[in-house]
Structure formats: structure tokens, C-alpha cells
Amino acid sequence: MALCLKQVFAKDKTFRPRKRFEPGTQRFELYKKAQASLKSGLDLRSVVRLPPGESIDDWIAVHVVDFFNRINLIYGTMAEHCSESSCPVM
């Protein structure tokens, strides 16, 4: 088990996102948009609050299905490019 954790957290194999991007690139523009949305002052508690008159079971079911669909989309994208040999940590 310890060996497995060492492999997962090895600095040479762990993905570390870049903190700075070259201005004018598409990544820089995406980074700016992400930062703007994170600092928009949106109250996440109000976003996930159960609407009045709604059933908690229905609300949870809808959001679980949406979450599953998003994760499935991400997995499908990764699975096309990552295999056991090309992405051993994943």
C-alpha cells in the first residue's frame, strides 16, 4: 500500500497545473474566465439550496443524474487517450 501511495504522489508523475500562462494564448483566456467565475461573488449555498415546495428526493435524484452524466463525459474523454500503459497513475 505504501508503495502505491508513493507512486501516486511522486513529483515526477503527479499532474501539477501551471500557475501562469502566456498572455494572448487560449489557455490564458480560459484561465482568466475561470478566475472571473470563481471571484464573481456567487453564493454557492443559495445555488444548491432546495427550492421551496420541491421534494428533497426529486431534487437529489436530478442532481445525482446530472453529476453522473458530467463524470461520464469526463471519463469518456480521458478513456480515449489514457490506457494502462500511457497513464499508469490514472
Side-chain angles (χ1 to χ4, degrees), residues 2-53:
L3 179 62
C4 181
L5 287 176
K6 284 182 181 179
Q7 290 174 346
V8 170
F9 292 109
K11 289 184 179 181
D12 61 332
K13 294 185 180 181
T14 302
F15 173 74
R16 303 222 183 257
R18 297 173 74 186
K19 300 282 183 186
R20 297 178 189 212
F21 302 99
E22 293 293 322
T25 63
Q26 185 178 12
R27 286 185 180 218
F28 181 73
E29 295 302 317
L30 290 172
Y31 174 76
K32 284 193 329 187
K33 288 179 183 179
Q35 290 302 312
S37 67
L38 290 173
K39 296 177 182 176
S40 66
L42 183 67
D43 181 17
L44 293 179
R45 288 181 192 260
S46 66
V47 172
V48 298
R49 188 171 290 133
L50 177 66

Side-chain angles (χ1 to χ4, degrees), residues 5 9-10 12 31 46 54 59 62 66 73 81 87:
L5 287 176
F9 292 109
D12 61 332
Y31 174 76
S46 66
E54 291 294 327
W59 188 89
V62 166
D66 183 50
L73 182 64
H81 302 286
C87 304

